[in-house]
Amino acid sequence: MSRKNVQKPSEQNGENLGRAVDPGLFYDCVHCGLCTSTCPTYTELGDENEGPRGRMYLMRLVAEGQLGVSARLRRHLDLCLDCRACETACPSGVQFGRVIEPFRLAMEEADKSPLKRFDWFRQLILFRLFPYRDRIRLAMTPVRLAQRLGIYAWAERVGLLKLVPGRLGQMITLVPPPVDPGPKLPGFLPAIGRRRARVAFFVGCVADAMFRHVHWATLRVLQHNGCDVLIPDGQGCCGAIHYHAADSDGARRMADANVRAFALEDIDAVVVNHAGCGAMMKEYPLHWHDENAPARVALAEKVKDINEFLDQLGPVPPSGRIEAVATYHDACHLGHAQQITEPPRRLLAQIPGLELRDLPETEICCGSAGTYNLNQPGMADRLSRRKLENILRTKAQIVLTSNAGCLLQIMREVRRQRQSIAVMHPMELLDLSYRNEQPELPG
């Protein structure tokens, strides 16, 4: 990337972006290139600027005052999914997420342009809709009505939904078919049999609005494994939506609300069943350093992904046979950010009759990446097509993944290509086995 005719950061933005990142983190990267084969954008585009080491070099040049922030540089950084696959592949232990996340946050905060300040989608949808589960349900009412009347499926088949422009059109096409969500979650559920643990359950926002049935499956699995489950009031969005949309203060307020909601002295763990939320909560201590930091550390240390928690607890073996072929997609914020890959596979291996096949390129992101599929639809669509092609190679009847964004993204691609594949959370399949019931398989 040329350095000619580009203003230095202090001239363009009024502040030095180099302050956003510990300079030592840049020099952990030795530019070996082993990360490039796992980077979704590099594998798709083959451009060094669209790979981890290229982006690392660009950010370092900006931090050192040798390069300014241009539209072209922003494009290279914005196209990163922050999937952290490069961290898993890196032999030097480079913490790429701890570089690009605060750097992009500082870059966005320094952007005082009217376009950024009056971005209606960011202000209304990302900040005032997505983090609030009741608002999401209300906003989805017309879509749900259209789905029940068959209008939505018809419009999807004939391509009318593609006529809805921009990010709003992308958002509408992600809405999955209606599923009975079950009743409102209670405040407490008792263990079945001997009590082995006492846990709190994190509800979240999008996860509860669109996947409450997954919450219920998770809660029943916890009960079957001897867990008393508390579902405290006062909790809300984990803050990831705000943080990744460059509203650090808004994210901090949501994080601190969750800190207040959980009485940690009374529980063994805070169980989270969606990877993006779990990764954000575990990393609260990395994002803010103020008087509330000790409380955030205490919460982060209690947070456990449901697969991680059950694997450590020692699961009660499920007995119901499920004669099906399945494959498992590693959600990026579970496999890469939290380094949890084997626990879900060990849990699924205990289901009698289930054949679990390896998914090619499981480490490559599906293209969801939080709100990436709304902001970067071109690359997101390329990656979802690539993911489904790999799923089809396994000839699986069921694809399993542990994150709301991945579920929505893969479901949409399955519908687009009219494939007969069930897309499920692992807890749904475990719950069915515990209850000796069968999954509803398409076709």
Side-chain angles (χ1 to χ4, degrees), residues 116-150:
K116 175 63 66 176
R117 189 178 303 172
F118 300 108
D119 183 345
W120 71 271
F121 191 88
R122 181 172 178 263
Q123 294 297 327
L124 295 180
I125 304 298
L126 296 188
F127 292 167
R128 290 174 173 80
L129 176 62
F130 279 1
Y132 304 96
R133 50 186 176 268
D134 290 336
R135 295 180 190 178
I136 296 174
R137 290 192 188 93
L138 182 62
M140 281 176 30
T141 301
V143 178
R144 290 303 190 207
L145 178 61
Q147 287 176 325
R148 291 187 175 91
L149 294 175

Side-chain angles (χ1 to χ4, degrees), residues 99-216:
V99 177
I100 197 165
E101 287 179 0
F103 190 92
R104 288 201 299 198
L105 180 65
M107 190 172 66
E108 292 302 311
E109 288 176 341
D111 184 359
K112 306 300 182 183
S113 67
L115 184 63
K116 175 63 66 176
R117 189 178 303 172
F118 300 108
D119 183 345
W120 71 271
F121 191 88
R122 181 172 178 263
Q123 294 297 327
L124 295 180
I125 304 298
L126 296 188
F127 292 167
R128 290 174 173 80
L129 176 62
F130 279 1
Y132 304 96
R133 50 186 176 268
D134 290 336
R135 295 180 190 178
I136 296 174
R137 290 192 188 93
L138 182 62
M140 281 176 30
T141 301
V143 178
R144 290 303 190 207
L145 178 61
Q147 287 176 325
R148 291 187 175 91
L149 294 175
I151 300 171
Y152 183 97
W154 172 80
E156 191 173 45
R157 280 196 305 274
V158 301
L160 286 181
L161 295 183
K162 295 178 182 178
L163 300 179
V164 182
R167 291 170 288 184
L168 187 61
Q170 292 295 316
M171 185 174 67
I172 290 174
T173 61
L174 281 169
V175 178
V179 176
D180 181 8
K184 182 179 178 181
L185 301 182
F188 174 76
L189 288 167
I192 294 174
R194 179 177 65 88
R195 192 179 82 179
R196 304 168 65 203
R198 182 178 173 87
V199 304
F201 182 68
F202 179 74
V203 175
C205 50
V206 175
D208 187 57
M210 293 193 175
F211 296 104
R212 182 180 281 176
H213 61 286
V214 174
H215 281 354
W216 272 111

